[in-house]
Amino acid sequence: MEQETNVVSASLNGIRNSPRKMRLIANLIRKQEIFKALDLLTYSRKKRISLIFKKLLLSLLSNWEKKYNQSSSKKKEFLYIKEIRVNQGKTLKRLRPVPQGRGHRIRKRSSNIIVFLDQKKET
């Protein structure tokens, strides 16, 4: 027997921030309810990264509404972030000149984010 789940996903690729910095914010909102996570992101110190996550969560909420044709706030109370993954994307390689005609490599990392939204059982 298959269990029916209400899982919806959203992803964002090629963000020009390193995955290590993105994971700091991702760990804050992992396993949180969607509206609590949005509040945490609003008052987070890392404004640029939290804005990216906030837009992604709003997109995720919109995807859920489109998939299940439900815009009632009663059902939205039970939505939570089931899983969030931050992976490394492409790395831009640049050279920085240093003394004696040498060059050191600068790696500008990017990241990919995947978020899954699920609905808790109503009690």
Side-chain angles (χ1 to χ4, degrees):
M1 283 185 126
E2 285 187 25
Q3 237 180 354
E4 190 174 317
T5 58
N6 298 334
V7 177
V8 179
S9 68
S11 65
L12 195 55
N13 296 328
I15 302 160
R16 278 288 299 123
N17 278 325
S18 69
R20 185 175 179 178
K21 292 177 187 175
M22 299 294 273
R23 285 186 191 113
L24 292 173
I25 301 295
N27 290 337
L28 282 177
I29 61 174
R30 186 172 277 128
K31 302 285 184 187
Q32 297 285 337
E33 293 176 6
I34 188 88
F35 293 113
K36 185 177 179 183
L38 286 170
D39 287 342
L40 284 171
L41 291 173
T42 302
Y43 299 109
S44 174
R45 285 189 171 189
K46 303 224 180 253
K47 295 295 181 188
R48 182 169 181 242
I49 296 173
S50 60
L51 182 65
I52 292 168
F53 274 103
K54 193 172 180 179
K55 286 182 180 180
L56 186 63
L57 290 184
L58 291 174
S59 170
L60 188 63
L61 201 56
S62 175
N63 290 349
W64 184 82
E65 286 175 359
K66 285 180 185 175
K67 185 172 182 180
Y68 295 108
N69 295 327
Q70 295 179 1
S71 60
S72 67
S73 61
K74 187 174 182 179
K75 293 283 186 181
K76 290 181 187 177
E77 293 174 4
F78 297 102
L79 295 176
Y80 75 103
I81 299 170
K82 182 178 183 181
E83 185 180 351
I84 184 165
R85 281 187 244 150
V86 179
N87 300 324
Q88 184 169 341
K90 290 184 177 181
T91 302
L92 299 173
K93 295 173 180 122
R94 302 289 182 255
L95 287 176
R96 164 148 303 160
V98 292
Q100 297 182 359
R102 296 188 183 116
H104 285 175
R105 181 168 284 175
I106 303 292
R107 291 185 300 263
K108 298 186 176 190
R109 301 175 192 272
S110 66
S111 48
N112 303 330
I113 307 172
I114 303 170
V115 184
F116 294 97
L117 186 70
D118 199 5
Q119 190 172 9
K120 289 182 181 177
K121 301 291 183 194
E122 297 179 27
T123 56

